Each structure stands twice: as structure tokens, then as C-alpha cells.
Amino acid sequence: MISAAVVAAAIGFVPTAAQAADQPAQRQGSAAAAKDSAKAAAAKAAVFHSPAERTIRTSTPASTSGSASGKAAAPQAAGAADAAKGNAGLAVDLRASATSAHGFSLASRITTTAGVPVKVDIDWGDGRTDTEHVTGPKLLTSKHTFTELGKHQVKVTLTDQDNKVTATNSVEVQSLGSKFTPHAPTRLLDTRSGVGGSNRPVTPYGTARVKVGGNSGIPADATAVALNLTVVSPRSGGHITAYPSGTEQPTTSNVNFVAGQTVPNMTIVPVGADGYVELANRSYGDVDLVADVTGYFSRSATAGGYTSLDPFRIADSRTGQGTWGQVAGQSTFALQVAGNGAIPASGVTAVALNVTATAPRGAGHLTVFPTGQEAPNTSNVNFKAGQTIANSVIVPVGPDGRINVRNGAWDPADVIVDVVGYYSPGSKASYIPTAPTRLHDSREYEFPVQGQDFRWLPLSDDDPAITAFVLNTTVTDPQGSGHLTVAPDPYTYAQRKNGAPKPTPPNSSNLNWTKGETVPNLVQASTGTTGVIDFWNRGWDPTHLVVDMFGFYDKS
């Protein structure tokens, strides 16, 4: 699980004497508050309870062998007709708590007559059984990890060896983790045209509701959804906050914008109990919103887990990698994903990317979609002439192991594609969504990330079960142009605190900015081998950094 040291908002700084010496006291309080908030959100687990009153008592066959029928007595509620028999209070209270994506802790509170031997059989419902023995009232704690996600019926049977009576109680548990099913890029909301039910802009500080569960082939019990959110022609600056319906609106942000800007951003957002996601317009002006789905998370046994990778580049038209020269307007090029780098040659259902448009000669958009399909009426990266802009993308992989990238503009543009992970049935990590939580905001400490420097966050310490975090990173008030690179740190939290050397950032980017811009982007950040994640300012001038957490991947 996420460690106490970590979840962290405990601020990681590059270990230089100047930075270590100049830390106002207010930083410690703010960091502790953020850390506690994130820890509470991440540790929140489902609890399943079956009280002792539901225990069913049954006479064992040995105690009824002399009866006229020769059959065992029918089950009866504890304390009913069997009350006159020995150990009349034999019962068990069950309380199960999810501890990880697949794991549970079961508390069995046993009520029995002191001194009487009782066998306790715990049937986990997946073919495995644990057995304990007690001779009096006791609280037993058992731990179990299910191979498959989903619902499981856990049954505990007490057998009184002296009085020949059994008592059984059961509780249904639901695993905490979810796995991913890719979805053909499909528009679920467009307030400009009425797709999704509304043909009007979202009013200032109003919300738009997006139906996810039960829509467009998405199952009603989907736990989270991968949406590409696009803000179109806002009348003032602000941001969009995405969150599950039926919950309190968080203070985090998903898409930041200025008046007149069209800007997309990928988000992975939990789905509310009613199947909806809420999109709040946190600005003083009307705004049109577009939401395109590329996949969803559920507890289906056929869905795929996630494998996080150190970021690596598979296409850069500027250097001829993946495609030659600028991508012509209204043209498409294919990229081999399966078998490329650390991605396996078979079994991959979807890939997590960071896609960047740079030096476009006119306004337009990029659309990423699986090979073997028509280009959908969706967009992943929107740009204007001369702009460099990136967006996170999760896209299904075609049957030939490739994906398509289409330049929807009329003019050429350079395209860069970086891989951060992939989904497959063989991948072990399951997604656990959390309440959106702010982990770090350098503005609170008046301590921006310096040019060509980095900030490190010890998000999962060295826990190997946590493989990646789903974060929204935002750069704001940059003093010059640059780009952000997010990557795992090779050093542990303890080593970093004790002055580990500055690592080398990878040749990849997560978001790009120009002076004065506020730019967000989703990052599926690998924890590597240490659980420490670095956020590199690859520009030459200082910038402020905001990091929000939306969930994490757990393989335990």
C-alpha cells in the first residue's frame, strides 16, 4: 500500500545546500496536510459486514443418526429451536476489508462456550480454504489475495466438536481493483451539437453530466473511464474539474484554459454510483465541452491490467523516427506498437502514450486510433499555428499491433509520440481510483521549480506493489518556454534525502509551454524500482508546478 512517508506530498527537493537551507516553516504544515489528505483518499477501502445474527446453526449428521428420518435437521437461525442444545450461542460475526487491488483482511469474531473445541473453516469462494481451531471466544484475523477481480462469497463454518453442531455465516466481498477495456474512440458529450443531451454551453460555475455506465456499450458497473476532455471557445479563463457524480466537488483541476482557447486534456475519472461523471466549469464565462471515451475500467475477468514503463520515444517526425518529415495535412501514418521496445509482440490491447504536436503550419488537431478502423470524429491534440502542445492518450491497438496518427489540419505539422505503458490480459496491475487529491502545489511554498532542475515526490516509497500513479500535472506562471518530463527516480526516498546525485532525465516530454501559459496534462507516472517520481523542468526559466492524484495501479 501507499506508505505513510509518501503519499506524499512531502515535498522532494533536489538536495543542494541552498535549497535545504531555505525552507519556510509553512511548507512543512502544508505538505503534511496534503500528505494526510492523499493518504486518506488512497487508503479508503470497501468494508463488507455480516453480523453474528445472520449465523445459521445446523445439527451435524452424527447428532441425528438415531432420528426417525435419518436426515440432518434443517438450518435454523442461531438462538431459535436449537437454543436448548449445547453451545447455544455459537455464532460468528464477519467483517471483510479490502487492503489492495486483490487482497482482503477478514475479521471473524467467534462467540462460543469457553473450553469447547471448535474448528473454524474459512472458504474463500475461489477453491481455497483455511482452517483454524479455537477453544473459546476469539477474534481471528485472516488475509487472502484473490487471483481474479470481482465478487466473491466468503463462508465461515464453525464446527463444535463436542456438541455436534455447526454454525455458518457468509459475506460477499467486492475487489477494490479494476482493469481496463479499450473502447473505440467515441464522443459521449458535445454541448455544441447536443450529443450527450445538452446543446448549450456550460454556464459559469455550472456542471455538465456525462452518462458513462450503460452508454455506448460501456457496462453499467464501470468503475472509472478514460475521457479526452476538450474545452472549446471559453469566454473567460478558468479550469474544468472532473469527478464522480454524487460526490463532493474537489479542489483539483483537469483542464486549464484562457478566453477563446480550444484545449484538450486526458483524464481518468471514477464513475459515480448512478453511472455519471460531472464536469464543473470553474470560470466566470460560458464554455462548450467535448468528452470522448477511449476506454473504461471494470472488475470484469476479461479486462486487461496495466504495465507501466519508463517513458520512451517511438516517433519523432523531426528526426525521421516512425515517419519521415512533417505529417501532411489530412494525412495518416501508422506506428508499430506491439513488439516495439519493452512492449510485448502479442496480447497488447491498448497503449498509453504522450502525443505532441510541434511547429504546425496551421490550426488543427491530431487523432490517434487503432489500425483497421475508420478515423473517428474525435480529437486528441488540438493546436494553433506554431504551437507546441502535448496530450496524454490511451488508444486501442489494432489487430496488426499498430495504431494510426492522423493530422486533421490542412497544413503540415511535426508529431512526437512517447510510450508510458500498455494494457494486456497478462499485465498484473489493477487500477484503484481515489478521490481527486492535490499532492503538491509549489505556489503554496513560493518555491518554483528552477530551470533545468527537478522536483521529486516519494509517492509509494519502495513498495513494489504500486507500479504507477495517475496524476494531473499543471505548469503555471512559467517565466519562459519549456517542457516537463516525468520519470521514476533511480534513488530511494532515504537516498534522495541523504543527498543522492542528480539523475539524468529521459528523452521524453509530458507537457509543453510558453512563457506565462498555464498548461495541464494527465501523466500515468511509473514508480520504477524506488517509488520516487521526478518532475523535470526542461526549460531554462523557473515555473510553478501543481500535481493532483486521481488513482494508482496496484498489482497485489
Side-chain angles (χ1 to χ4, degrees):
M1 295 298 293
I2 300 178
S3 89
V6 258
V7 182
I11 301 171
F13 298 109
V14 180
T16 65
Q19 290 177 333
D22 181 23
Q23 295 185 28
Q26 66 190 37
R27 291 181 192 156
Q28 302 302 323
S30 299
K35 181 184 72 175
D36 291 344
S37 175
K39 182 181 176 183
K44 184 179 180 182
V47 175
F48 307 89
H49 182 218
S50 183
E53 290 78 12
R54 295 180 183 174
T55 303
I56 301 297
R57 289 170 57 90
T58 308
S59 297
T60 64
S63 67
T64 59
S65 59
S67 68
S69 65
K71 297 180 180 179
Q76 301 180 58
D82 286 328
K85 298 182 178 180
N87 206 352
L90 187 66
V92 59
D93 179 283
L94 303 178
R95 188 177 297 271
S97 302
T99 56
S100 64
H102 294 253
F104 284 86
S105 176
L106 176 67
S108 304
R109 186 175 295 278
I110 298 168
T111 303
T112 182
T113 302
V116 176
V118 174
K119 185 176 74 163
V120 183
D121 292 310
I122 304 171
D123 181 353
W124 294 101
D126 61 354
R128 287 177 287 179
T129 301
D130 293 335
T131 299
E132 302 271 1
H133 295 271
V134 301
T135 55
K138 190 170 184 179
L139 175 63
L140 292 178
T141 301
S142 311
K143 296 186 182 298
H144 187 72
T145 300
F146 292 97
T147 302
E148 300 293 339
L149 298 176
K151 293 181 179 179
H152 302 274
Q153 193 75 23
V154 180
K155 182 173 69 174
V156 176
T157 300
L158 311 180
T159 303
D160 183 324
Q161 307 287 325
D162 289 348
N163 294 288
K164 309 304 181 186
V165 66
T166 64
T168 302
N169 197 358
S170 63
V171 61
E172 185 177 70
V173 300
Q174 173 72 70
S175 55
L176 194 59
S178 302
K179 291 190 175 181
F180 185 75
T181 299
H183 191 288
T186 305
R187 188 146 290 175
L188 300 185
L189 175 73
D190 190 339
T191 59
R192 302 168 301 176
S193 62
V195 173
S198 174
N199 60 358
R200 294 183 178 180
V202 184
T203 57
Y205 289 88
T207 60
R209 285 169 54 81
V210 182
K211 181 172 176 57
V212 175
N215 188 11
S216 189
I218 302 170
D221 61 353
T223 58
V225 63
L227 291 176
N228 196 62
L229 303 179
T230 305
V231 172
V232 182
S233 303
R235 295 191 178 181
S236 71
H239 66 269
I240 302 298
T241 296
Y243 61 102
S245 174
T247 65
E248 184 178 354
Q249 190 177 120
T251 58
T252 53
S253 63
N254 296 89
V255 189
N256 297 70
F257 52 85
V258 296
Q261 184 183 29
T262 295
V263 57
N265 197 29
M266 187 73 184
T267 183
I268 296 176
V269 58
V271 178
D274 60 0
Y276 281 82
V277 166
E278 303 272 359
L279 305 177
N281 172 18
R282 306 288 296 175
S283 76
Y284 290 107
D286 292 349
V287 61
D288 275 308
L289 289 178
V290 176
D292 300 322
V293 61
T294 61
Y296 60 88
F297 293 84
S298 70
R299 297 182 177 98
S300 168
T302 61
Y306 184 65
T307 297
S308 181
L309 301 173
D310 288 356
F312 69 95
R313 186 152 292 174
I314 62 171
D316 189 339
S317 62
R318 301 170 303 177
T319 63
Q321 182 182 6
T323 186
W324 291 98
Q326 283 201 314
V327 181
Q330 300 296 304
S331 71
T332 300
F333 70 95
L335 279 175
Q336 185 68 36
V337 172
N340 194 337
I343 304 173
S346 62
V348 176
T349 58
V351 63
L353 309 170
N354 203 71
V355 180
T356 304
T358 187
R361 298 185 187 181
H365 65 272
L366 299 178
T367 298
V368 187
F369 60 102
T371 54
Q373 298 182 12
E374 295 287 333
N377 183 31
T378 59
S379 63
N380 296 96
V381 183
N382 296 69
F383 51 82
K384 56 189 178 182
Q387 184 182 26
T388 296
I389 186 169
N391 196 19
S392 183
V393 175
I394 299 175
V395 60
V397 175
D400 58 357
R402 302 197 297 171
I403 61 172
N404 285 328
V405 181
R406 175 174 171 77
N407 177 10
W410 293 103
D411 302 288
D414 278 308
V415 176
I416 302 167
V417 181
D418 297 319
V419 175
V420 298
Y422 63 88
Y423 298 90
S424 73
S427 298
K428 302 301 183 184
S430 301
Y431 182 60
I432 299 179
T434 67
T437 305
R438 181 143 294 174
L439 299 185
H440 178 72
D441 189 341
S442 64
R443 297 171 300 182
E444 293 185 2
Y445 319 107
E446 299 180 357
F447 195 73
V449 185
Q450 300 300 308
Q452 299 299 314
D453 213 338
F454 74 113
R455 188 133 306 164
W456 55 274
L457 300 183
L459 292 189
S460 67
D461 209 356
D462 57 354
D463 184 351
I466 307 298
T467 62
F469 281 82
V470 175
L471 309 171
N472 203 68
T473 54
T474 304
V475 164
T476 187
D477 193 28
Q479 301 305 298
S481 299
H483 67 273
L484 186 76
T485 296
V486 181
D489 195 299
Y491 296 100
T492 65
Y493 175 50
Q495 290 172 326
R496 180 63 53 210
K497 282 200 308 178
N498 290 326
K502 191 173 183 177
T504 301
N507 182 33
S508 61
S509 65
N510 294 91
L511 62 85
N512 299 70
W513 67 83
T514 57
K515 183 178 180 179
E517 280 188 321
T518 295
V519 182
N521 200 11
L522 180 87
V523 177
Q524 302 215 78
S526 170
T527 56
T529 59
T530 66
V532 179
I533 299 175
D534 296 335
F535 299 79
W536 288 88
N537 173 7
R538 304 302 300 278
W540 294 101
D541 303 287
T543 184
H544 278 295
L545 173 70
V546 180
V547 181
D548 297 324
M549 179 179 75
F550 292 86
F552 57 92
Y553 290 95
D554 181 0
K555 64 180 181 181
S556 64

